C-alpha cells in the first residue's frame, strides 16, 4: 500500500522502474484527508522504483520504493 498525504490533493502518481519505464500510472482525487492507494506489485521485478506524485498545481514529489519478494 502507498499512503498519499492530504497535501498532495488531486493529481497523478507514476511509478517508474530503474530503466525509467512507467510501470503504474494512476490519477487520484484529494478530499482533504489522507489517502491510501492500493496496487499489486506481485508481477514487478525485485528492485528500486521511483514514485512520482504530481499535484494538480504542478508540484512534484519523488520517493523511492524498494520491491523485494
Amino acid at each position: 500500500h502507498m499512503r498519499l498525504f492530504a497535501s498532495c490533493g488531486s493529481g497523478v502518481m507514476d511509478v517508474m522502474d530503474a530503466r525509467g519505464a512507467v510501470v503504474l500510472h494512476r490519477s487520484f482525487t484529494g478530499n482533504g484527508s489522507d489517502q491510501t492507494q492500493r496496487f499489486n506489485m506481485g508481477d514487478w521485478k525485485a528492485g528500486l522504483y521511483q514514485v512520482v506524485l504530481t499535484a494538480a498545481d504542478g508540484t512534484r514529489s519523488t520517493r523511492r520504493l524498494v520491491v523485494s519478494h
Side-chain angles (χ1 to χ4, degrees), residues 1 23-24 26 37-44 67 69:
H1 304 275
V23 296
L24 178 72
R26 184 174 291 176
Q37 292 287 320
R38 297 176 190 213
F39 48 91
N40 184 353
M41 296 178 283
D43 294 337
W44 297 5
V67 174
H69 301 284

Side-chain angles (χ1 to χ4, degrees), residues 23-62:
V23 296
L24 178 72
H25 175 84
R26 184 174 291 176
S27 298
F28 57 89
T29 303
N31 60 3
S33 63
D34 290 353
Q35 301 178 50
T36 301
Q37 292 287 320
R38 297 176 190 213
F39 48 91
N40 184 353
M41 296 178 283
D43 294 337
W44 297 5
K45 293 182 180 179
L48 181 64
Y49 293 79
Q50 294 290 323
V51 179
V52 179
L53 301 175
T54 305
D57 67 1
T59 304
R60 293 174 64 135
S61 175
T62 303

Side-chain angles (χ1 to χ4, degrees), residues 13-25:
M13 175 178 68
D14 290 306
V15 181
M16 289 162 281
D17 65 14
R19 298 173 299 133
V22 176
V23 296
L24 178 72
H25 175 84

